[in-house]
Each structure stands twice: as C-alpha cells, then as structure tokens.
Amino acid sequence: GQQVMQIPQYQHVQEGEDFTTYCNSSTTLSNIQWYKQRPGGHPVFLIQLVKSGEVKKQKRLTFQFGEAKKNSSLHITATQTTDVGTYFCAGQEYGNKLVFGAGTILRVKS
Amino acid sequence: EAQVTQNPRYLITVTGKKLTVTCSQNMNHEYMSWYRQDPGLGLRQIYYSMNVEVTDKGDVPEGYKVSRKEKRNFPLILESPSPNQTSLYFCASSYRGTGTHEQYFGPGTRLTVT
C-alpha cells in the first residue's frame, strides 16, 4: 500500500536557524497536505499543494511539491520558539484516503 | 464555531471492558476518520467513512469497530480493549468536494488500557 516517509524524525535548532523537513511518497499523489501539532495539542492544517512543482509561502514557511508529485518539503526560515512542535506531511491519493508521514519533531533553543 | 468534538478526553480502563469514544462534527462533512498516534509512528489511520453507512478499514483496524449512522457522528468502539491499544486517538473530518480537503481534528482522547 501507499507509504509516506518523512525525515528527519527529530531536529533541534538554535533560534534563528533554518529548518527543513522532507516527505517522500511511494506513489504519485493527487495532493499533499502539511499539518503542525503543538506539544499537547492536535494536528492543525497548514496548507495543501496540488500542482506539480508548486511552491507556496506562508510568512517564513515555504512549501514545495515535487515535479513528479511524489515528494514535498517544508522549509522554515529563521526559526522562532513559536515554531516548536511536530510537522506532519500527509499524502492523498485520489479517493480521499490520507496517509500521514511519521512527523518531524522540531525543538528550538533560544 | 466549526469544530470536531471527542469524548472522553481521557480514559483509563481495564483489559476486556468494552468502551466507545464518541466523535461529532458540526461542519456537515462527508468524510470522517479515526487515527491513533504513537511515539515515532505518526498518525495511523484506523477506519474512515466517506459518508453515512459507508465505512472502510484504514491501516490498523484490528481490534476496532466503527459505525456511521448519522453524518455528524462517527463513534469508535473497542469491544475488548487490550494494553497495546493504549494510545492517543484523534477523530478528524473533512469536505469531499473539489478544492481543499483540509482535515479538522478533534482534541484527542488519551486512552490507557491496563
């Protein structure tokens, strides 16, 4: 079945440093979604990417969808303490079944 | 306010004692799903439902049951809980039409089976 691999599993950065998490699917996706889960909270939707090669930005966050629609990345520029949490990608094949990656835990040292 | 509610939020139970975790959404979403979250394993889908009376297994359905008799409700049933079902459970819902299929998650239910 479809698998979504996400790396790294864990990253600890100094405040102000950049951060990137990568996501790879075993199958071609119709779209990919990104979620953020704060410690003790529930996942919250950040963005959905649909088009091949798509790049979207939300302030310091940049999301990319690969040309083959099998990989994606989330890059955070100049991390802040408010960025801490777990970032999940979720790949959706046609038909609504979402498959989540294992998540990347981000810790920020101030 | 658009939301997904789950009850209870915390539950400690014993092996074999049947339990139900309720999930309700007020957004008229067709799609609903249950996930369990375990350290290092991310969110794994247990069951999902495309609409009323339509349910299907996710990746880890063993030991769980669901029903979808009404559009807004999607309860998760553990007929005979075992310690390996100790986990954090999330219910989620989303729209099925064209456009963004953002999943709205409930606050989570932390279940401990002793």
Side-chain angles (χ1 to χ4, degrees), chain B residues 6-65:
Chain B
Q6 291 179 232
N7 282 292
R9 295 288 314 278
Y10 302 91
L11 179 59
I12 301 174
T13 190
V14 296
T15 299
K17 186 177 181 182
K18 180 179 179 179
L19 66 92
T20 299
V21 184
T22 64
C23 173
S24 184
Q25 50 95 4
N26 63 0
M27 295 167 280
N28 203 35
H29 285 162
E30 298 90 351
Y31 182 84
M32 296 186 74
S33 181
W34 275 102
Y35 298 90
R36 61 177 289 174
Q37 184 174 22
D38 303 289
L41 297 178
L43 291 157
R44 293 182 293 167
Q45 191 177 53
I46 303 170
Y47 269 95
Y48 64 98
S49 170
M50 296 286 199
N51 215 322
V52 177
E53 302 291 0
V54 181
T55 62
D56 210 345
K57 296 178 181 178
D59 299 311
V60 288
E62 293 77 21
Y64 305 94
K65 285 175 60 177

